[in-house]
Amino acid sequence: MQINLIFTNKGKVAIENFNNEELIEIFTRYSNTLTKKYDIEIIVPVEANANITEEGVLTVVAQQVNCDVETFFKELGRDIKVPLKKRLGTKLDTVFKIKIVE
């Protein structure tokens, strides 16, 4: 299942402080940590995420989904605020919304 993480306006401002490789690495690391708690496999494909900051979208692929996808990504959104907030230096609300493409 393909899922697009569509960054909010504040999320777009936050990700402008990162390059694509950093964003892919951050989302991969935080997703992998959460998969220890949730029964889901997440892949962040490099080729599908060539221009994250310009497009304002990060694409992930979910496999072997045995949990509530909305809950997983809601928690990922809370976790991902930590590195974004550190580099931005200001408070962040919701960073992204999810759109399930399948």
Side-chain angles (χ1 to χ4, degrees):
M1 142 184 343
Q2 179 180 321
I3 300 165
N4 290 337
L5 307 180
I6 303 165
F7 290 94
T8 62
N9 289 335
K10 287 188 177 186
K12 287 178 185 176
V13 170
I15 66 170
E16 287 175 357
N17 295 297
F18 296 85
N19 62 42
N20 269 3
E21 292 78 26
E22 289 174 314
L23 289 169
I24 290 170
E25 191 269 325
I26 289 168
F27 273 87
T28 300
R29 185 169 17 106
Y30 279 82
S31 295
N32 287 343
T33 301
L34 269 184
T35 58
K36 294 173 185 168
K37 180 178 175 182
Y38 292 94
D39 193 9
I40 187 171
E41 184 180 314
I42 299 291
I43 300 166
V44 183
V46 175
E47 64 279 352
N49 292 298
N51 297 309
I52 300 167
T53 53
E54 293 165 16
E55 295 171 5
V57 177
L58 183 122
T59 301
V60 299
V61 176
Q63 299 173 333
Q64 299 175 359
V65 180
N66 295 310
C67 67
D68 182 43
V69 174
E70 298 278 337
T71 303
F72 175 84
F73 283 102
K74 192 178 286 186
E75 190 163 337
L76 179 63
R78 283 192 302 265
D79 291 351
I80 217 73
K81 284 183 195 179
V82 174
L84 299 181
K85 197 166 42 171
K86 281 183 183 175
R87 186 137 340 155
L88 186 61
T90 184
K91 184 181 177 202
L92 282 174
D93 294 325
T94 305
V95 178
F96 60 80
K97 295 180 243 176
I98 74 164
K99 180 179 179 186
I100 299 172
V101 180
E102 297 199 37

